[in-house]
Amino acid sequence: MTTSTPRAWWKTGVGLVLTGLMLFPVYWMINVSFTRDQDMRASPPHLFPTNGTLDGYRAVLDQQLPYLGTSFLVGLGTVALTVALAAPAGYALAKLRPPGGPALSFVLLIAQMIPGIIMAMGFYAIYLTLGVLNTLPGLILADTTLAVPFAVLIFTAFMSGIPDELLQAAVVDGAGRLRTFWSVVLPVSRNSIVTVSLFAFLWSWSDFIFASTLAGGGDYQPITLGIYHYIGNNNQQWNAIMATAVVASIPAAVLLILAQRYVSMGVTAGAVKD
Amino acid sequence: MTGLSRRRRLAAVAVIALAAVTGSACSSSADSGADGGAYLVWDPYPQFADDSEWVALLKKCGTSAGVTVERTGYDTTDLTNKALLAAQQGNSPDVLIVDNPVISTLAEAGALTTTDDNKLDVSAMEKNLLGAGQSGGKTYGVPIGANTLALYYNKDLLTAAGVDPAAVKDWTALTAALTKVKAKGKKGITFSAIGTEEGSFQFLPWFWGSGAQLTSLDSPQAVSALTLWTDWLKQGHAPNSVINNTQTTSWQEFATGDYAFAENGTWQLANAEKLGFSYGTIAIPASAGGPAPAPTGGEFVSIPVQKKTGRYETSQKLVTCLTNADNLLTTDTTLSYVAPVAAVQERQATADPKLKVWVEAVRAAKGRTGDDLGTKYPKISEALWTAVQSALSGGKSPQEALAAAQTAATTR
Amino acid sequence: MPSTTETSTDVRDQGGAATAVPPGAPPSRARRPSRWWAWGFLAPVTIYLAAFYAYPLYRHVELSLREYTVRSFVQGGAPFAGLDNYRTVLTDPAFGPTLTHTVVFTAASLAFQFTIGMALALFFHQHFPLSRTLRALILVPWLLPLIVSASTWSWLLNSDSGLVNAALGVVGIDAVNWLTSPGWSLTSVIIANVWIGIPFNLVVLYSGLQAIPTEMYEASALDGATGWQRFWGITFPLLRPVSLITLLLGLIYTLKVFDIIWIMTKGGPTSSSATLATWSYRLGFGNLLPEFGPGAAIGNLLIVLALIAGLLYIRIERRQQLR
């Protein structure tokens, strides 16, 4: 499997080109993050930040690092809560098919259509009463609403592909429903758990509206709010804005790559066991 | 059979849960969040971090009023929504600093106290600046600093093209200057005509400079102003990108050194010093000559309505402290604004002679929500920027675009 | 764990019985009793939905049924207006064009996102050196706050200093006013939205591909099927449930998109790139004087559109199960 034939390397070449094309705007963002104000709208634009500046990064490293930590915590919390809520629901909808299940799927669809700003207003009202504005758990809970309906639907779609025989075998073995779910369904669903976690993380990482409405005044502000340090009332510091985005995406990108490695190894191992 | 009764029971549980949630949410205005010693201040200056002079000033004013100040900086467009939402939920900050046209909206919403309630003394403020905070004979806030628009020019470029900036006194002279610059292979002028309030803000000096009034968007004068801009685009004096330019983008274009003129604001003064060429400023000319009235920009300090009215006394002390002469000087220097008080303006001009042009510009400037337009202004402004966009992008002639704008602004 | 092997089976059985099977319930489920108990698995999500979505949804509907001004938004007491807001929106001359833009934007975005995402998923599903790393990297656009990615696109597409026009100039093509001409603005925001949507489609379809057992391919390889035949014969049918949900979710997210458009063009120039979502946002939150009623009415119309799509989905899915 792991032998690298010349053909495979040719594919790597194509893969690099495709990735390069997809990431070109990201390159442009990096380019702008190094650009001096007077070169930002140069015509024709500079492909490389010649006469670059580190002003943007200087500002970011001075001010933004604490925000990164919050973003990580919020992201991880969102992932955990999303999976915990959505995986059992997906299992029930896909395999147990309770009466009223389709109606619930439908509600989940509608739930996603409520505009984010209206959701945020609702949360603001609820949180104000509960006194959890500007807290970490509050923001995590709100951010899960970005992912939970999606997660349930994805789990349902994927778990309906689990062979019934596998589950019946578990029941014959004497496992209860909860046990079946825990030790049969969840392990085979590793793939969809990863997909869901990935999106839950990404959505909470890039969320702005909840962060601004629910955590704007507190000590726990994610990196998206940090960017607003450079968007003044009349003026925006674009190199610093872009630099923040770069600094924010590097650790998250590394995390993604590592997670992918770990997970695909796990998936292959699981496949071998089957 | 048992299935049915269970179903019913479940439905009942669901209804109760729902009612509990909505019920609790509706009665959520129970208690104001701001209690105890901390006084909340919201401002639209997210660029100022906790170690900035602005925040230091807020803390200092808090200390002298005997309270601690908790400050949050929001993005300016975000702040309007946030302020409305907080007012709805009875969770407004004690002191709110917002962009001046927002004052009339918040006042209309009943979210702000008047000077009658909060006992603020606004007598020192310049009348033309204070106008934006007044409606129906009441005053809802104090300006903390003002800015306005003028034309920045690239000295080197104009010299090379043989244009004397001092002679650019009317539209004809300006267009002639642009033609000369273009003949030298350089670009003429850049501004911001984006489809937001920013676009209207930038168009207003030309609109008012033609003699037009906001109550009649389709007057021949208004058409002449929009024709001026449209012709600039057609003849290549202004780049097509202005249709989507924010004022920052337009400044970045000017900073490349390719443009002779840029319409921009007082707040760019600090950045102007960093330009790679020597620059100057002139007032935006009116159609028939002389400086055109530019709109006033800048923020207002206001005291939102609180359930605990006893808090106003301290809030008033905070605002008075923020707007006293020395502190205005500090704040407006960091913001690169002109002070709203004549005496402080003098001090600014003496300290930095370059500010003299701007002080004069601010004195001649006009509030957007003034002329007793108040909350009629947002509607007019939207119609106006839409007209500018449709004429510049070639969808309609200036005449048609402004006629449609007038209809849109007056209906409903 | 120091538990001995002799007792471990016992422990497992007890645990299973204690947690899942209620005491006294018959161990065999051959009779297929009512499945209401499965709601035990759904309870957390149901409570969650009721707690956090019911109020915003109610509020959204309520906003659209009353005549809100800024004043009554803050102070309460907005008069009930019935369907007036809907009437206002539906009879607005802007409604027709905006609906068309929404349909074009959604259809074009979905078609390109899905096709490109599928092609990339198939490509990266083959194992070659670096395939995992590259696939992970393609997700990077999702790490960026929308304000950054959308601004980068407007940077690239700027009429005068944008890279795209500079590149076109090199090839000898005239500059295009991507964001500033009514004819191109919708295309530009579609391009940016497709770019942002590709990673989503790629990831979901890719995990769908991974769920297909490799034996199926091996069998067909023995039969001598070509790659194309394999795709239509095995991959596509087996990927159908995942494809359907991807398209449905994609549809919902695309209908909802407003921030990309708002940042890039504000829906302009002259509403040429305005969709129902940007219109709703402009009315409710993008103005100095918000009009919450009509804004919420448009939002609810969007929900109805999503509902129709959801009904279609459930129908297709049912038909598939019956097969």
Side-chain angles (χ1 to χ4, degrees):
Chain A
M1 267 283 165
T2 47
T3 46
S4 344
T5 57
R7 187 169 151 70
W9 278 107
W10 170 80
K11 279 183 187 159
T12 306
V14 176
L16 278 171
V17 171
L18 290 175
T19 316
L21 274 176
M22 270 302 289
L23 293 189
F24 187 78
V26 178
Y27 166 71
W28 200 250
M29 172 192 94
I30 297 172
N31 186 8
V32 173
S33 73
F34 285 109
T35 305
R36 294 181 303 176
D37 280 352
Q38 61 257 49
D39 295 330
M40 278 193 183
R41 298 287 166 178
S43 171
H46 300 317
L47 269 178
F48 306 101
T50 37
N51 298 319
T53 170
L54 289 173
D55 282 357
Y57 287 88
R58 228 166 272 141
V60 169
L61 293 177
D62 277 356
Q63 301 168 339
Q64 300 289 328
L65 292 181
Y67 295 101
L68 274 179
T70 310
S71 275
F72 263 112
L73 284 179
V74 171
L76 295 180
T78 308
V79 167
L81 190 56
T82 304
V83 173
L85 280 167
Y91 166 57
L93 289 177
K95 285 298 167 193
L96 308 177
R97 304 194 160 270
L104 185 72
S105 311
F106 220 71
V107 173
L108 287 165
L109 277 181
I110 306 171
Q112 297 185 89
M113 278 306 290
I114 306 172
I117 198 159
I118 300 280
M119 287 295 294
M121 283 164 57
F123 268 106
Y124 186 83
I126 298 172
Y127 280 15
L128 195 63
T129 327
L130 301 177
V132 287
L133 275 180
N134 299 324
T135 61
L136 216 47
L139 185 54
I140 291 174
L141 190 60
D143 276 349
T144 54
T145 58
L146 298 169
V148 165
F150 159 84
V152 176
L153 294 172
I154 283 287
F155 275 131
T156 312
F158 276 83
M159 285 175 178
S160 58
I162 299 174
D164 285 330
E165 303 81 55
L166 199 65
L167 303 181
Q168 272 152 15
V171 174
V172 169
D173 281 353
R177 292 291 171 180
L178 205 59
R179 264 286 296 283
T180 316
F181 171 67
W182 185 254
S183 43
V184 181
V185 177
L186 276 189
V188 246
S189 307
R190 197 202 282 256
N191 228 324
S192 39
I193 296 177
V194 171
T195 310
V196 163
S197 309
L198 207 62
F199 283 111
F201 186 82
L202 291 175
W203 278 325
S204 79
W205 188 264
S206 54
D207 158 68
F208 170 72
I209 185 88
F210 284 133
S212 162
T213 316
L214 307 174
D219 298 329
Y220 300 105
Q221 300 195 6
I223 192 84
T224 32
L225 290 189
I227 281 184
Y228 278 72
H229 273 297
Y230 311 114
I231 303 184
N233 204 1
N234 300 301
N235 214 348
Q236 297 109 42
Q237 267 178 276
W238 276 103
N239 49 22
I241 293 171
M242 297 301 194
T244 312
V246 173
V247 169
S249 49
I250 288 171
V254 170
L255 192 85
L256 276 187
I257 293 173
L258 290 181
Q260 297 260 331
R261 274 272 154 81
Y262 166 76
V263 165
S264 33
M265 272 191 303
V267 168
T268 348
V272 169
K273 230 186 349 188
D274 285 339
Chain B
M1 294 301 117
T2 50
L4 192 78
S5 71
R6 260 196 214 153
R7 193 174 301 179
R8 231 174 241 158
R9 225 177 299 152
L10 257 165
V13 169
V15 167
I16 291 166
L18 211 117
V21 169
T22 43
S24 72
C26 290
S27 63
S28 60
S29 47
D31 204 39
S32 154
D35 45 39
Y39 273 66
L40 300 183
V41 178
W42 290 357
D43 66 53
Y45 311 129
Q47 73 268 34
F48 293 142
D50 286 346
D51 54 1
S52 62
E53 254 182 291
W54 165 247
V55 178
L57 174 64
L58 286 174
K59 301 265 180 218
K60 200 182 74 189
C61 287
T63 316
S64 61
V67 292
T68 50
V69 167
E70 265 181 39
R71 170 264 180 179
T72 313
Y74 288 98
D75 171 51
T76 180
T77 43
D78 211 34
L79 183 57
T80 314
N81 295 333
K82 182 85 194 214
L84 281 174
L85 182 58
Q88 185 199 41
Q89 301 295 333
N91 193 37
S92 291
D94 294 285
V95 175
L96 175 66
I97 300 163
V98 286
D99 197 14
N100 71 78
V102 178
I103 289 283
S104 63
T105 304
L106 292 176
E108 171 74 21
L112 301 180
T113 57
T114 66
T115 42
D116 299 344
D117 313 318
N118 59 37
K119 309 282 180 282
L120 268 178
D121 179 16
V122 294
S123 56
M125 302 294 156
E126 293 287 299
K127 293 285 163 290
N128 66 328
L129 299 177
L130 195 59
Q134 292 171 319
S135 91
K138 305 253 189 233
T139 305
Y140 292 91
V142 206
I144 192 164
N147 58 55
T148 192
L149 295 166
L151 287 181
Y152 286 83
Y153 61 85
N154 184 328
K155 263 188 196 158
D156 310 348
L157 241 162
L158 286 191
T159 317
V163 175
D164 173 17
V168 180
K169 293 275 187 211
D170 56 25
W171 290 0
T172 327
L174 180 56
T175 307
L178 297 179
T179 316
K180 277 189 191 166
V181 171
K182 201 188 166 201
K184 285 277 165 191
K186 290 291 183 179
K187 296 169 192 166
I189 184 168
T190 168
F191 45 87
S192 154
I194 193 171
T196 62
E197 182 57 32
E198 232 174 326
S200 288
F201 185 64
Q202 287 247 325
F203 183 60
L204 277 173
W206 312 95
F207 182 84
W208 281 332
S210 71
Q213 295 294 318
L214 281 174
T215 41
S216 160
L217 294 179
D218 54 352
S219 66
Q221 292 93 331
V223 174
S224 75
L226 189 49
T227 308
L228 179 75
W229 270 22
T230 316
D231 286 349
W232 281 350
L233 253 73
K234 274 192 202 142
Q235 290 154 15
H237 290 325
N240 176 277
S241 60
V242 294
I243 301 170
N244 218 19
N245 267 3
T246 63
Q247 298 185 87
T248 302
T249 321
S250 148
W251 180 259
Q252 289 167 347
E253 288 181 341
F254 180 62
T256 59
D258 294 340
Y259 291 83
F261 293 96
E263 181 186 0
N264 227 304
T266 325
W267 59 87
Q268 295 292 11
L269 272 176
N271 288 328
E273 294 305 321
K274 290 188 256 170
L275 290 171
F277 49 86
S278 50
Y279 76 97
T281 38
I282 52 169
I284 295 172
S287 166
T296 52
E299 285 79 51
F300 267 60
V301 193
S302 62
I303 300 178
V305 172
Q306 301 290 335
K307 232 165 258 123
K308 296 173 187 156
T309 49
R311 295 179 76 88
Y312 296 150
E313 203 186 321
T314 310
S315 304
Q316 184 260 343
K317 277 186 202 153
L318 284 175
V319 177
T320 310
C321 169
L322 286 175
T323 52
N324 77 26
D326 286 339
N327 291 337
L328 277 181
L329 186 64
T330 322
T331 308
D332 291 327
T333 310
T334 41
L335 284 169
S336 196
Y337 280 6
V338 172
V341 179
V344 186
Q345 289 176 350
E346 300 298 335
R347 281 166 67 186
Q348 282 186 297
T350 345
D352 183 359
K354 272 194 178 145
L355 274 172
K356 211 166 176 169
V357 194
W358 291 101
V359 168
E360 277 159 22
V362 164
R363 280 184 186 159
K366 250 172 102 160
R368 280 167 278 175
T369 50
D371 296 342
D372 226 14
L373 286 176
T375 47
K376 284 191 210 115
Y377 174 75
K379 188 129 216 177
I380 297 173
S381 172
E382 184 179 2
L384 187 60
W385 82 58
T386 310
V388 170
Q389 289 238 310
S390 69
L392 292 189
S393 65
K396 284 182 185 152
S397 73
Q399 174 74 59
E400 291 163 353
L402 286 168
Q406 180 63 17
T407 318
T410 45
T411 47
R412 264 205 289 152
Chain C
M1 277 286 150
S3 74
T4 57
T5 25
E6 304 127 278
T7 52
S8 65
T9 36
D10 276 357
V11 168
R12 200 191 294 156
D13 283 346
Q14 277 167 4
T19 45
V21 186
S28 103
R29 293 181 186 275
R31 211 160 43 85
R32 230 173 192 261
S34 155
R35 286 180 154 181
W36 278 109
W37 56 267
W39 278 87
F41 282 98
L42 292 174
V45 143
T46 313
I47 295 168
Y48 173 87
L49 280 173
F52 300 117
Y53 289 87
Y55 173 64
L57 187 63
Y58 154 78
R59 187 93 180 99
H60 200 227
V61 173
E62 195 240 24
L63 270 178
S64 74
L65 296 178
R66 289 181 188 274
E67 199 187 316
Y68 270 99
T69 59
V70 230
R71 188 167 194 91
S72 49
F73 179 77
V74 170
Q75 312 289 348
F80 186 75
L83 294 176
D84 276 2
N85 287 320
Y86 291 89
R87 221 165 284 139
T88 310
V89 167
L90 291 173
T91 55
D92 194 302
F95 183 77
T98 312
L99 183 66
T100 317
H101 297 159
T102 311
V103 172
V104 172
F105 178 80
T106 311
S109 295
L110 268 188
F112 284 105
Q113 280 171 7
F114 185 78
T115 327
I116 299 174
M118 175 73 94
L120 286 176
L122 287 169
F123 179 75
F124 282 107
H125 190 54
Q126 305 164 307
H127 289 280
F128 55 84
L130 286 181
S131 63
R132 280 167 209 153
T133 310
L134 291 179
R135 193 168 51 83
L137 278 178
I138 287 192
L139 283 178
V140 166
W142 275 62
L143 289 171
L144 307 174
L146 266 180
I147 177 153
V148 169
S149 34
S151 303
T152 307
W153 273 101
S154 40
W155 217 290
L156 289 168
L157 294 174
N158 188 293
S159 314
D160 298 274
S161 57
L163 186 73
V164 176
N165 276 349
L168 290 180
V170 170
V171 195
I173 302 174
D174 278 350
V176 174
N177 293 328
W178 294 102
L179 301 169
T180 52
S181 67
W184 280 103
S185 57
L186 191 61
T187 315
S188 305
V189 294
I190 290 174
I191 292 174
N193 190 51
V194 167
W195 177 77
I196 286 176
I198 288 172
F200 173 79
N201 287 272
L202 165 65
V203 169
V204 181
L205 293 173
Y206 181 87
S207 18
L209 284 177
Q210 279 190 310
I212 300 175
T214 35
E215 299 90 62
M216 307 211 59
Y217 289 110
E218 280 155 17
S220 79
L222 288 177
D223 291 345
T226 64
W228 196 244
Q229 284 168 332
R230 245 180 298 164
F231 176 73
W232 288 111
I234 302 170
T235 317
F236 198 71
L238 283 174
L239 212 53
R240 242 177 107 159
V242 174
S243 301
L244 265 179
I245 195 78
T246 313
L247 280 171
L248 179 71
L249 288 168
L251 175 80
I252 285 178
Y253 298 147
T254 314
L255 279 177
K256 234 180 120 170
V257 163
F258 79 90
D259 9 25
I260 301 169
I261 304 178
W262 188 256
I263 296 164
M264 287 178 70
T265 66
K266 308 274 182 239
T270 57
S271 304
S272 57
S273 57
T275 62
L276 290 175
T278 60
W279 192 19
S280 165
Y281 181 80
R282 182 184 278 281
L283 285 172
F285 303 96
N287 251 335
L288 279 175
L289 202 63
E291 293 178 67
F292 297 107
I298 299 171
N300 285 321
L301 291 178
L302 278 174
I303 294 183
V304 172
L305 284 183
L307 269 177
I308 296 170
L311 279 174
L312 267 174
Y313 166 78
I314 286 178
R315 254 195 115 168
I316 298 173
E317 203 207 17
R318 255 214 199 122
R319 200 177 297 160
Q320 239 174 0
Q321 271 162 17
L322 290 179
R323 254 183 222 169

